[in-house]
Amino acid sequence: MLALNNAKYLENGKEMNVRGEDLMGTAKPYHTGFLGFNFVAYGNLDSTGYLDRDSWHPSLHWRILVDIGFLRDEEQDFLKETIAWKEATKTILGASSSSENDLVSAVSSKTTFRNIDERNQLVAGLKWPGIFSESKITQKGNPLDALCATLEEKMAYQEGERDLVLSNKVLDGRISDKGILVPMNPSINKPLMQELEEKHGLVFPASLLRHTY
């Protein structure tokens, strides 16, 4: 939960300091070049050590969660009870009722949207874990932990599923192969090793050890 920490980074040569609660307001689109990955980027703790480039931490996130108070970790007695998510959301938002229309209106009053498409996308993102629904919360005592418990259940791996790490690196066209690649042949791993050695001084010596039995 990097959004709970302050950030310091360089942007266009200028040092930027952002409080954790304001971090999502600085998030910017991060285009990976791959369709289907809607990433955003925001500051990652103290990144000023990367003096040769602006430093951002790309992450899938819902900026809206900060604005509506779902990343707070203060104890709340009502979140220690087995209640419907829509009732918990009503109290967290201070909405007039637990109907979906009133909950969405309360969300809209606490955050801003660039356009109607972004509004629809973010509201749909809130509906997915069920925070407007009759589903019961997990009794965790605060909004952050209650939401995380629900996400752990919703996002649990199913049989045959795997995790994904997307790393977007530019090697000046030295890797010409297309698609998802594994660095297991010289056309891929040699440019990577050359980049590490030339720019970062990292080398990987190999040696053959002979054993006598």
Side-chain angles (χ1 to χ4, degrees):
M1 289 296 181
L2 292 175
L4 300 181
N5 299 305
N6 298 335
K8 182 166 68 171
Y9 56 90
L10 298 178
E11 183 175 5
N12 298 323
K14 181 180 178 181
E15 183 176 298
M16 310 294 291
N17 291 275
V18 183
R19 297 183 305 169
E21 57 265 36
D22 299 326
L23 195 55
M24 293 299 97
T26 68
K28 298 179 180 179
Y30 184 84
H31 302 291
T32 66
F34 296 95
L35 295 177
F37 294 95
N38 298 316
F39 281 19
V40 293
Y42 54 90
N44 179 19
L45 301 175
D46 185 355
S47 301
T48 54
Y50 300 93
L51 297 178
D52 59 336
R53 58 187 173 184
D54 294 349
S55 179
W56 292 90
H57 180 86
S59 174
L60 292 172
H61 83 290
W62 289 331
R63 168 184 56 82
I64 199 171
L65 293 176
V66 177
D67 295 341
I68 65 177
F70 270 76
L71 296 189
R72 297 200 308 265
D73 59 1
E74 298 89 357
E75 289 290 316
Q76 303 287 340
D77 288 340
F78 70 93
L79 293 174
K80 298 176 182 178
E81 304 173 3
T82 303
I83 59 176
W85 253 118
K86 68 177 187 178
E87 298 298 334
T89 300
K90 170 182 175 291
T91 303
I92 293 170
L93 294 175
S96 57
S97 82
S98 61
S99 72
E100 184 172 308
N101 286 339
D102 284 342
L103 294 178
V104 172
S105 294
V107 167
S108 298
S109 71
K110 292 179 176 295
T111 190
T112 57
F113 307 102
R114 287 190 288 265
N115 50 54
I116 189 63
D117 289 336
E118 183 182 65
R119 176 189 179 278
N120 292 339
Q121 180 183 14
L122 291 175
V123 169
L126 293 176
K127 289 181 180 180
W128 178 77
I131 66 172
F132 299 152
S133 74
E134 295 278 0
S135 299
K136 302 300 183 183
I137 69 168
T138 301
Q139 302 173 33
K140 291 293 185 178
N142 65 69
L144 174 60
D145 289 338
L147 178 63
C148 286
T150 295
L151 291 176
E152 286 175 5
E153 180 180 347
K154 294 279 289 186
M155 300 175 71
Y157 291 133
Q158 303 299 315
E159 184 176 355
E161 290 185 337
R162 296 182 178 181
D163 199 358
L164 169 68
V165 175
L166 178 62
S167 181
N168 187 22
K169 305 297 182 185
V170 178
L171 290 173
D172 302 323
R174 282 182 282 174
I175 295 179
S176 59
D177 296 338
K178 306 296 183 183
I180 299 175
L181 308 175
V182 178
M184 298 297 290
N185 64 69
S187 67
I188 297 175
N189 56 39
K190 281 188 175 180
L192 292 172
M193 295 172 69
Q194 183 179 357
E195 176 95 356
L196 290 172
E197 181 175 0
E198 292 177 352
K199 293 191 174 182
H200 305 286
L202 297 176
V203 295
F204 301 88
S207 60
L208 179 64
L209 300 178
R210 298 184 181 277
H211 296 275
T212 302
Y213 297 95

